Every structure is written in C-alpha cells, then in structure tokens.
Amino acid sequence: MNTTLVPSRRTTRTAPITTAHGTIRFPRHHLNLTGARTVHTPQVTATATALKTTFTEQGLMCLTAPAGAGKTFTLHTVLDQHPAWHAIRLLPQPQARPDDLRHSLHHALDLPGPCPKDAGTSDDLIRHALHHPPRLLAIDEAHQLSPSCQEYLRHLYDDPYTRIAMVLSAGSHRLQALRTTPMLAARVTRWHKLDPLGPAQITTVLPAFHPHWKTTSTDLLAHLDRTWAHGNFRRWATLTHRATHRPAPTSPHALLRHLTPRPETP
C-alpha cells in the first residue's frame, strides 16, 4: 500500500466550520492529540476523487462512514487541499430551522452586515453570492437536518442561478434518514462510503499517524486493533492519547484495561 504524509503546509490542526452563530475552529484530531499527523490513505484518495468529480459535475454527493472512521477529518483534509473549490463548511445544530442555515450561509459567505430578518431578502443575497465563483457546499452531520432544512438545501441546489456542488456527510448508522427523503435522495449523484482501516493497513498507517507507534511491533499493533480499535481512527486516537499520557500504562493489558468499561459491582 502506498502511504504518504499530507504536506503540513496544506493542513492545520484545526478546521473552520460555520454554525448559525458564526465560524468556529474545531480540533482536527480527536482529543486534539499532540504529535498526530495526517496520513494519506487509499480511503482519503478515493474520497478526494469522488469529491473532485462531484465538484466538476456540480453534483450532490453523500459521504458516509461508521462513527469514528474519519469521515469529517477526511472531508476537511481534502477541502483544505483544494482551495479552488471555495468550500463552504456548515455544521447545523440538531433540528435546525431554515433560518439557522440562512444565518450560517450569511456568515460563511462573508456577506455584509447582520443576516436580514426577511427570508426573501436573505435568500436573494445568498443566491447572488452562490452564483460566482462556483462553490462546494459541505454539510457535516447531515442526518440531523430537519425536513424543512433539507427542502431549503434542495431549493438552493436546484436554483438555476446558483453554481454549487453539495456534499452531505452522515454516519452510516443514520444514513436511512437521507435515503428515505425523496427531495434530496433523488438528486444524489454519488453515494460514497469511507471504510475503516483494514488489518493490512494498520502496520503502515499507525507509525505514520503518530511517532509513539514507530517502534511498536507489528504483532502488538495487530493485537490492539483486533481486540479494541477495529480500524477506527477515533479509537486509535484514544489509544494513543492513553498510551502517551503520564503515567503511561506499563503493558498492553494495562492500556486496554483503562479503556474497557468495568462491570458494575452488584
């Protein structure tokens, strides 16, 4: 497998995401893990290809992955590498209203003044800003969108004046919420699943991910993955955080004991 590190000049330790209350920056790595690096896996390459096609075609893509597999991290990493996409990154709150999306877009597009209270006036400003340049609108945790917000996004996507591609990022366990919504599902041009790391990838990806694992035997890496992490990047970040925390566990058994829920005492 060809595994290379993404150049640091193209990535940062935080990602800008716009909410209804403005743009904030979230840590990229789970637990803001010190020493963690971005690893360009085949999963990242496949996602980048799918996003590039979606942007070129001005299509609508649904990106899914199991919880903790790295879909949000991968999405923002790829967006950082393609500034020409003029990406807009939104994180809607659960059961957000269309007005919340209007406020988020107003902030993300850097439109002047506060977001107008009149929906029609706000939409005219947003539509004008989405005409040029072409943009990629990325919605994280899209399974949380209410039906009215999904309809609003469909309205922006279908508008003949806007020039946008769209990617909806959702957990695999919540994918049904998007598949059963005709207003969006019928317009999806690409369903892309991001898989967890496979057993054969663990011994090359983990040493590149964090220096703590560079001197770890392949047998131990395979054991930790098989018994606890299961190719899940969030779980590996948790393992790494605990393994490098002081005082550090003295053995793999002690490490896993710290991370495994203890049975309740009767």
Side-chain angles (χ1 to χ4, degrees), residues 4 6 14 20 33 50 53 57 60 76 98 148 153 161 167 171 174 188 207 232 241 248 253 259:
T4 56
V6 174
T14 59
L33 186 63
T53 301
E57 297 175 346
L60 198 162
H76 292 302
S148 59
L153 291 176
Y161 192 73
V167 56
R174 301 290 299 275
V188 173
N232 186 294
H241 179 266
H253 179 73
L259 298 170

Side-chain angles (χ1 to χ4, degrees), residues 146-196:
S146 65
S148 59
C149 283
Q150 293 183 28
E151 171 61 22
Y152 181 68
L153 291 176
R154 182 208 61 78
H155 166 71
L156 289 179
Y157 181 72
D158 285 352
D159 192 304
Y161 192 73
T162 61
R163 300 166 66 201
I164 57 172
M166 194 178 297
V167 56
L168 306 176
S169 176
S172 300
H173 64 298
R174 301 290 299 275
L175 185 58
Q176 193 66 15
L178 297 179
R179 284 194 181 276
T180 57
T181 306
M183 64 185 72
L184 282 181
R187 291 164 174 78
V188 173
T189 56
R190 183 177 298 269
W191 298 88
H192 182 80
K193 182 182 178 183
L194 191 151
D195 293 318

Side-chain angles (χ1 to χ4, degrees), residues 89-118:
R89 316 177 198 205
L90 302 186
L91 178 63
Q93 62 190 28
Q95 296 305 308
R97 303 166 301 168
D99 277 348
D100 295 321
L101 290 185
R102 289 186 177 96
H103 278 80
S104 296
L105 287 166
H106 192 91
H107 288 302
L109 292 166
D110 199 24
L111 296 176
C115 181
K117 294 182 179 180
D118 179 71

